[in-house]
Amino acid sequence: MHEFEEGLQKGFKHFSLLGTDLGAYGKDLHHTLTDLLKEILKLKGHYKIGLRNVNPYHLKSMLNELLPILKSKRIWYMECAAESGSNRILELMKRNYSVQEYKDCIQAIRRVHPDIILRTQLMVGFPTETEQDFAETLHLLNHVALDYVELY
């Protein structure tokens, strides 16, 4: 919080919160990312916030608290890595979310904040990935409104 306030005092207008898994923020201290965002949004000023690396596993559990925050339009972008459009591959990766859960989250976010920039990351060529698995990933890309995709 202190760094954010300091940035505001210096006239900064764009802030990015990022981490290996931003969605897990504060879990060790019994806080959540949405708790932090609510506190930040109490601060006066003309600023925007980007959220980088929100794991879909955490996104699905915090979505109901995040949607009202997104309505503020202060969050200008968010990255949430789909990893794959294949449930089989997500299971092999030991991800704790399904393709449908990912889609549902992204669609809910778009409904409350149509202008948010949504980024994702996809991994292609995962061991044992088949043409069908890859086709399912392409299907995901064709049916979810994403703005940027990073491939690995």
Side-chain angles (χ1 to χ4, degrees), residues 38-50:
K38 287 174 191 174
E39 288 302 309
I40 289 173
L41 292 180
K42 290 178 185 176
L43 300 173
K44 302 276 187 239
H46 299 287
Y47 57 87
K48 300 280 184 177
I49 303 167

Side-chain angles (χ1 to χ4, degrees), residues 73 109-116:
K73 308 292 189 205
I109 290 167
R110 277 280 183 226
R111 275 193 299 277
V112 301
H113 190 353
D115 299 325
I116 192 170

Side-chain angles (χ1 to χ4, degrees), residues 51-144:
L51 304 176
R52 182 106 192 230
N53 296 333
V54 178
N55 184 309
Y57 171 73
H58 295 293
L59 179 61
K60 69 181 185 178
S61 65
M62 75 167 104
L63 188 64
N64 289 334
E65 286 188 55
L66 184 62
L67 292 177
I69 293 167
L70 294 174
K71 285 181 184 179
S72 75
K73 308 292 189 205
R74 291 277 178 108
I75 309 298
W76 71 281
Y77 85 85
M78 185 170 76
E79 181 173 315
C80 183
E83 302 287 358
S84 177
S86 163
N87 283 323
R88 187 183 79 79
I89 295 297
L90 290 176
E91 193 173 306
L92 288 172
M93 290 177 169
K94 304 216 184 301
R95 303 305 192 246
N96 293 314
Y97 57 90
S98 70
V99 174
Q100 190 60 53
E101 288 171 326
Y102 181 84
K103 285 182 185 179
D104 292 346
C105 287
I106 298 301
Q107 290 167 349
I109 290 167
R110 277 280 183 226
R111 275 193 299 277
V112 301
H113 190 353
D115 299 325
I116 192 170
I117 294 172
L118 292 173
R119 302 168 57 126
T120 195
Q121 298 171 351
L122 294 170
M123 189 180 301
V124 295
F126 190 81
T128 77
E129 183 180 59
T130 65
E131 289 293 325
Q132 178 61 38
D133 294 320
F134 183 72
E136 290 172 14
T137 297
L138 293 178
H139 184 266
L140 172 69
L141 288 176
N142 288 323
H143 291 90
V144 176

